[in-house]
Amino acid sequence: MAILSILSAAGAPAEAYAGAAAVAGSALQLCPAPQGAVPQESVLTHPDGRLLQVQLRAATAALPSCASLSLPVAPAAVTAIHALTPAQAASLAGTLLVQMDAGGERIAAVESGAEAPRQGRQAMPVQENLLPLLTVRPYGVEERIAAELKDGRLRIDCRAGAKPAGLLLAGPWHLSAAAMRLRAAVSQPSPAGAAFALGVADAARAAREDAAVIGALANETSFALPARLDGASWQHFSIACPEQAAQLELASLSLQPVPGKAAGRSAWVWQAKQWMEEGDSVLAWAARHGLRTLFLSVPLTAAADGMAVAQPERLAAFARRAAAQGIALWPVDGDPRMVLENEQPATLARLRAYAAYNAAADAPARLRGVQFDIEHYLLPGYERAAAELDRAYLALLRGLRHEAGSLALEFVVPFWWSGKSALLVGLAEHASGVAVMDYRTDPAQIRRFAQPFLDWGVAHKKQVRVALEAGYLPPELQRRYARADAGEAWLVQLDGVPMLVLLKSAQANPHGASFRLQSERVLDGSATTFHADPAALLRLLPALEADFSAWPSFNGIALHELK
């Protein structure tokens, strides 16, 4: 399996630093990996298939059998090295962001500092004022309308006239597959008898220059969207002038989910001894937080035919007590290495163990399904082997579905998979549902990241949980670099492999682009986890649950590291 690692120069062989103070230069080398080496922290697969090891050595200690690039700095001047994909390297034209551990010794991610262009139409955001995000275009042959969008408010001034005139309000969106209403807040209503008509058009209506009128704008009104509207091809909202002269100021326009059926919360119990030895406490904790599903770490043991649940009687007893309290149990299993070819048979054996337990258990003691938290993108060097590892992930999904029988299969996925069409197609084919790691604390971001998956669930009749984080996350260092004649970050190429080399001080790069350190900041995790303020999480849950329940696919909020 081709895997490229994230490599810290501090992890290079000891001989790389021998006599560093006395040596003016160093050699960045790609050497044949030792016999039997597996892809890990210092090993990568070259595009031609060779398994190589990244090494930084003193110039005098360079190995002649290795591809080598001379660097005019001592090894001790290099703080970290990170191999890139060609696409990554090509994107680093002006600025770059480097995500590192708090000590600045290990690179976790490298990306362009420029904002990436949005791919395709996005789901229209909910519970947000759309006005600042809309493009406003007047229509009408008499040019009898004037409009100004300023500070999030839309002011409209219509002169008298008999011919149609108004505004089209458009954006790069589609409507989500949920029950929604459009709410308009009017800060300056039109004069009595001068009604501004609010409309909406999908692609078919827009082609006919038509709009479905959904109501007249008054002080503050909530409008139902037409049942036959094709939300996927939404084109614009419209505001039509009355025939008489009139003015209107619109303070906000927002999409409001219509709450549907309530869904139960869920959470993880990662330590098996908690439910095995402190079951009463676990169930009391679940009742306190309104949990209806628990994802349990369930110990397995070797068996004659593969693997088996280690203590089935204890699991059955706990499952019966949970069922009496209305709580479903799912074992949670997973490791990034599960996608590797030599690990997949053992992964399938683990699923067979859960299925065998269920086959032997009575109804109250059965597991509701199995959740897999694989996260293969965390394997070292995923960037360079993404396509291959994604194919391996899909192959594993197929195998798991074949072995699962009647067991439901749920997979934990990151929110940024909303753009991974091949993976979403595979999940739609093999999964019963997903739990989306929507690890943000800003409500607007949480909603935006959840929407594509909730829509996916509706389209494919799959269940979607939205997971939020409450556990501790270590701080990270984020550095921003900008292109310069000399800098602390160098982009180099060695034997066809682009690499980013970080230095202690700014110097000119003789082999390519240099980037000068502009700023750095410590990310304390407050944008990602509610660990510092769990009360804020609990306060936010009812509103999020009400909004997400507008999607038939919503299967509740999953809480990670809930205390």
Side-chain angles (χ1 to χ4, degrees):
M1 190 63 63
I3 302 176
L4 174 68
S5 70
I6 296 165
L7 174 68
S8 165
E15 63 263 32
Y17 297 95
V23 177
S26 59
L28 179 61
Q29 297 199 294
L30 284 176
C31 302
Q35 187 70 26
V38 296
Q40 53 183 341
E41 282 298 319
S42 62
V43 176
L44 62 87
T45 300
H46 189 273
D48 64 13
R50 289 175 291 147
L51 202 60
L52 301 173
Q53 191 169 38
V54 181
Q55 298 183 2
L56 182 68
R57 296 174 176 273
T60 55
L63 300 178
S65 59
C66 305
S68 186
L69 182 69
S70 296
L71 302 180
V73 295
V78 177
T79 61
I81 301 169
H82 186 74
L84 305 168
T85 67
Q88 280 180 308
S91 72
L92 306 180
T95 61
L96 58 95
L97 293 175
V98 179
Q99 208 89 354
M100 312 184 74
D101 68 310
E105 295 180 346
R106 186 174 300 280
I107 298 174
V110 178
E111 60 186 54
S112 170
E115 185 175 350
R118 287 178 174 261
Q119 300 297 318
R121 287 156 59 90
Q122 310 295 310
M124 186 180 294
V126 301
Q127 298 285 20
E128 298 182 39
N129 183 13
L130 300 172
L131 290 178
L133 309 173
L134 289 165
T135 300
V136 179
R137 180 168 63 89
Y139 69 88
V141 296
E142 293 182 339
E143 297 181 355
R144 63 185 183 94
I145 183 170
E148 181 185 35
L149 181 57
K150 185 178 179 181
D151 299 329
R153 291 172 176 261
L154 178 62
R155 181 169 179 79
I156 306 171
D157 190 343
C158 294
R159 293 190 292 275
K163 293 186 178 180
L167 297 176
L168 302 181
L169 310 177
W173 302 313
H174 61 79
L175 293 176
S176 282
M180 298 282 182
R181 295 181 69 87
L182 187 65
R183 188 171 70 190
V186 178
S187 55
Q188 180 182 323
S190 59
F196 285 79
L198 181 63
V200 61
D202 53 22
R205 285 187 171 273
R208 301 193 303 266
E209 297 186 354
D210 183 21
V213 176
I214 57 177
L217 290 169
N219 289 333
E220 181 166 340
T221 311
S222 177
F223 302 92
L225 297 175
R228 298 182 65 180
L229 180 72
D230 178 19
S233 71
W234 175 87
Q235 297 295 299
H236 55 249
F237 297 118
S238 63
I239 299 176
C241 291
E243 292 188 355
Q244 59 267 57
Q247 298 79 39
L248 178 76
E249 185 174 274
L250 196 58
S252 69
L253 192 68
S254 60
L255 205 59
Q256 304 291 318
V258 178
K261 184 179 178 181
R265 298 172 186 173
S266 56
W268 286 267
V269 180
W270 287 109
Q271 300 299 320
K273 71 175 184 179
Q274 287 184 276
W275 66 265
M276 296 177 78
E277 300 174 8
E278 305 164 17
D280 289 342
S281 296
V282 170
L283 293 177
W285 163 76
R288 188 165 65 252
H289 290 293
L291 304 178
R292 289 293 172 261
T293 300
L294 294 178
F295 303 112
L296 305 180
S297 179
V298 175
L300 301 180
T301 187
D305 56 350
M307 304 194 79
V309 170
Q311 299 185 48
E313 299 84 2
R314 179 173 268 183
L315 177 59
F318 183 72
R320 292 187 190 100
R321 291 160 59 201
Q325 195 171 304
I327 296 174
L329 301 184
W330 294 57
V332 58
D333 212 330
D335 184 278
R337 295 181 62 84
M338 281 182 168
V339 301
L340 303 181
E341 188 175 354
N342 61 346
E343 296 285 343
Q344 291 202 15
T347 305
L348 299 179
R350 298 179 73 84
L351 179 58
R352 284 194 293 270
Y354 302 127
Y357 163 86
N358 249 28
D362 57 5
R366 287 178 194 147
L367 306 168
R368 186 68 57 83
V370 181
Q371 186 187 73
F372 280 92
D373 183 11
I374 297 172
E375 301 184 52
H376 66 286
Y377 50 86
L378 297 180
L379 286 167
Y382 168 78
E383 298 99 326
R384 287 189 66 90
E388 186 175 352
L389 288 170
D390 286 353
R391 285 193 294 271
Y393 178 81
L394 294 175
L396 178 59
L397 261 59
R398 264 191 309 274
L400 291 170
R401 181 69 272 164
H402 182 265
E403 298 288 350
S406 60
L407 271 174
L409 285 181
E410 180 171 293
F411 294 89
V412 178
V413 302
F415 69 82
W416 49 268
W417 273 16
S418 60
K420 289 270 196 175
S421 56
L423 293 179
L424 293 177
V425 168
L427 285 163
E429 183 177 357
H430 304 300
S432 307
V434 299
V436 182
M437 291 182 288
D438 196 351
Y439 291 171
R440 288 295 184 270
T441 55
D442 177 68
Q445 282 193 328
I446 292 170
R447 292 185 181 98
R448 287 195 182 203
F449 292 160
Q451 280 183 252
F453 291 93
L454 293 166
D455 285 343
W456 169 88
V458 173
H460 298 284
K461 296 182 173 56
K462 304 295 179 181
Q463 296 292 290
V464 177
R465 299 185 209 268
V466 178
L468 302 178
E469 176 65 74
Y472 171 75
L473 295 177
E476 292 184 332
L477 187 66
Q478 184 188 75
R479 288 176 173 165
R480 177 180 288 273
Y481 297 83
R483 185 72 178 266
D485 293 334
E488 299 90 343
W490 289 358
L491 189 60
V492 303
Q493 186 126 179
L494 174 55
D495 196 23
V497 177
M499 295 188 186
L500 185 69
V501 179
L502 298 188
L503 306 173
K504 290 181 179 177
S505 61
Q507 302 191 48
N509 178 9
H511 302 296
S514 300
F515 298 84
R516 190 67 182 264
L517 180 63
Q518 300 293 299
S519 62
E520 69 176 33
R521 59 175 180 151
V522 175
L523 305 178
D524 62 3
S526 60
T528 305
T529 176
F530 288 91
H531 178 73
D533 192 2
L537 169 62
L538 298 179
R539 289 194 301 270
L540 181 60
L541 287 179
L544 290 177
E545 289 166 332
D547 286 347
F548 293 149
S549 70
W551 280 264
S553 58
F554 179 56
N555 198 24
I557 289 180
L559 301 164
H560 190 249
E561 295 292 341
L562 177 68
K563 301 303 182 187

